[in-house]
Amino acid sequence: LLASIPLAMQFETGSIDGAVMNELGPITKASVEAHNVMSGAVFRTESDTVGQYKLENLRAGRYSLWVGALGHDSTWIRQVVVERGQTTHTDIHLGRSHTTTSGL
């Protein structure tokens, strides 16, 4: 009976996955944060060497995503819905940040 608990938990939770890209291709080590809208719980991960990320074991519900990477503008995705036993696929495009330097 106890061995079935981890299996049951898989169906009580869901996940979010996808790719973080810019106009040139995948972004490595982008920070991805999922904020549960109701509970305020925060889950974090980074994109891998091919820009893929995955947030697992999320309780079903609504999440907002904050995504950022060095040299890129951060982005906020207001709502991503996670359903029990499902993976919500969300690809993210980040624009390259334009920094200016002073002439001093």
Side-chain angles (χ1 to χ4, degrees):
L1 182 62
L2 289 177
S4 66
I5 291 174
L7 182 60
M9 288 295 287
Q10 290 178 346
F11 296 108
E12 291 299 315
T13 62
S15 60
I16 302 171
D17 74 1
V20 182
M21 312 280 282
N22 65 21
E23 66 277 1
L24 301 175
I27 300 173
T28 301
K29 293 190 176 184
S31 170
V32 181
E33 292 186 359
H35 298 251
N36 184 297
V37 174
M38 296 301 288
S39 72
V42 178
F43 303 86
R44 294 178 178 90
T45 193
E46 283 188 345
S47 60
D48 63 17
T49 57
V50 292
Q52 299 293 312
Y53 74 92
K54 187 161 191 167
L55 293 153
E56 299 180 287
N57 298 317
L58 304 175
R59 295 196 135 222
R62 293 181 305 143
Y63 290 80
S64 60
L65 294 181
W66 289 93
V67 184
L70 188 64
H72 293 80
D73 293 326
S74 297
T75 192
W76 175 53
I77 299 171
R78 186 171 182 226
Q79 181 171 291
V80 176
V81 176
V82 172
E83 296 183 27
R84 290 184 292 205
Q86 301 293 315
T87 298
T88 302
H89 187 80
T90 306
D91 289 335
I92 300 153
H93 184 272
L94 296 181
R96 296 177 59 108
S97 63
H98 300 285
T99 58
T100 59
T101 58
S102 70
L104 300 176

